Amino acid sequence: MPGEPILLMKNFLFSCLFAVALCAPPVAAQIASAPGVTPLRVRTQSDPVYPFEMVQIGVREGKAVVAISVDAAGRIDDCLAVAYTQPEFAHAALSALRHWTFEPARYRGEPVAAMTEVTVNFEVQGTVVVSMTSAESMAAWMAAMHPESGASRPRLLRELDRIPTPIVAVPPRYPADLAQKGRSGKVTVQFYIDENGTVRMPSVSNALDLDLGALAVSAVQQWRFEPPTCEGRAVLVRAEQVFDFKQAEAAK
């Protein structure tokens, strides 16, 4: 409608409106240093235990990367093993990390939800090294992962049999009051699509205005896809969507 703000979504084919309450969005580790953002911090943790079954079969080391979504109270509300050298290492990492507690991230002094990735390195001597990692370092490790038995990682879009088909796609509504205040710009939301086609861990990875990021994340949380497949097998895929909030021309 002339005079109303519009939202442009790159490389997406759906156009419908959805009203959503404005709130602080889940933020990814990449923007922890953005103005007004205080990053997520670990409060208490329990160390993963080296899987005994791996010792029995002579596996001397392993690794798992776990994505964690933490709510505004510092509690984990979703945990997803996104890459691992053996399933047993993923299970051990998940078992421990689910008991971690956090000091929540903050935006403009208010606690907000956040998403981060945790890398767990296992060694047969019993040493376990846990580190928070950026998406970039996680991606570099996944790209170098040896194709050993049991290894798993998120697939790239180019590796899929076809681009995942959206079943439900709700674009964020761009409120007129924000547009009138000059609140515009691009927002990048990163997320996973799991083997069932469910969106997991949506978070803002790049945005100049996190209030607009909240609108984008709230919409992406409702998206659903046909299960992504690679060589006919359902797989986990990492994806991102760029939203461009722009003002329409003034009504004539």
Side-chain angles (χ1 to χ4, degrees), residues 4-239:
E4 289 188 347
I6 59 173
L7 167 67
L8 302 180
M9 291 198 300
K10 291 186 176 181
N11 302 321
F12 220 75
L13 304 178
F14 290 81
S15 58
C16 56
L17 294 179
F18 179 75
V20 61
L22 187 64
C23 59
V27 294
Q30 296 97 304
I31 61 170
S33 60
V37 176
T38 301
L40 184 72
R41 292 187 298 172
V42 177
R43 180 186 297 156
T44 63
Q45 67 183 75
S46 58
D47 291 335
V49 177
Y50 197 99
F52 182 65
E53 55 267 49
M54 292 290 94
V55 177
Q56 290 180 308
I57 62 174
V59 176
R60 302 183 60 83
E61 61 181 17
K63 181 176 288 194
V65 179
V66 177
I68 298 176
S69 176
V70 178
D71 67 19
R75 296 184 298 259
I76 294 175
D77 61 10
D78 197 7
C79 225
L80 178 65
V82 298
Y84 48 85
T85 52
Q86 295 283 349
E88 289 80 4
F89 293 119
H91 297 157
L94 284 169
S95 179
L97 295 176
R98 285 193 179 103
H99 297 289
W100 285 25
T101 62
F102 295 82
E103 291 290 341
R106 292 180 179 272
Y107 176 51
R108 296 177 180 171
E110 296 297 320
V112 297
M115 193 279 285
T116 191
E117 289 91 15
V118 176
T119 298
V120 182
N121 295 290
F122 295 86
E123 295 180 7
V124 75
Q125 294 89 344
T127 302
V128 178
V129 180
V130 182
S131 62
M132 310 290 271
T133 182
S134 69
E136 288 78 9
S137 60
M138 182 184 70
W141 172 71
M142 291 188 299
M145 182 188 290
H146 297 295
E148 55 193 283
S149 176
S152 179
R153 61 173 175 81
R155 297 294 176 173
L156 303 175
L157 289 177
R158 66 173 179 267
E159 297 178 285
L160 301 181
D161 297 332
R162 61 181 181 278
I163 298 299
T165 302
I167 299 172
V168 177
V170 180
R173 187 177 175 223
Y174 184 17
D177 61 332
L178 290 185
Q180 290 168 359
K181 294 175 181 177
R183 305 278 289 277
S184 61
K186 294 183 180 180
V187 173
T188 302
V189 177
Q190 65 179 25
F191 56 96
Y192 292 96
I193 306 171
D194 70 15
E195 294 86 346
N196 297 315
T198 301
V199 169
R200 306 281 297 275
M201 309 286 179
S203 60
V204 177
S205 61
N206 187 33
L208 294 178
D209 190 325
L210 288 184
D211 289 332
L212 298 179
L215 298 171
V217 168
S218 294
V220 172
Q221 286 173 333
Q222 301 171 76
W223 290 7
R224 189 169 181 83
F225 295 81
E226 289 185 355
T229 60
C230 178
E231 298 180 350
R233 182 173 61 89
V235 294
L236 180 73
V237 63
R238 187 182 180 93

Side-chain angles (χ1 to χ4, degrees), residues 230-249:
C230 178
E231 298 180 350
R233 182 173 61 89
V235 294
L236 180 73
V237 63
R238 187 182 180 93
E240 68 176 29
Q241 180 69 46
V242 177
F243 299 89
D244 195 356
F245 292 84
K246 291 184 177 181
Q247 290 177 285
E249 295 181 357

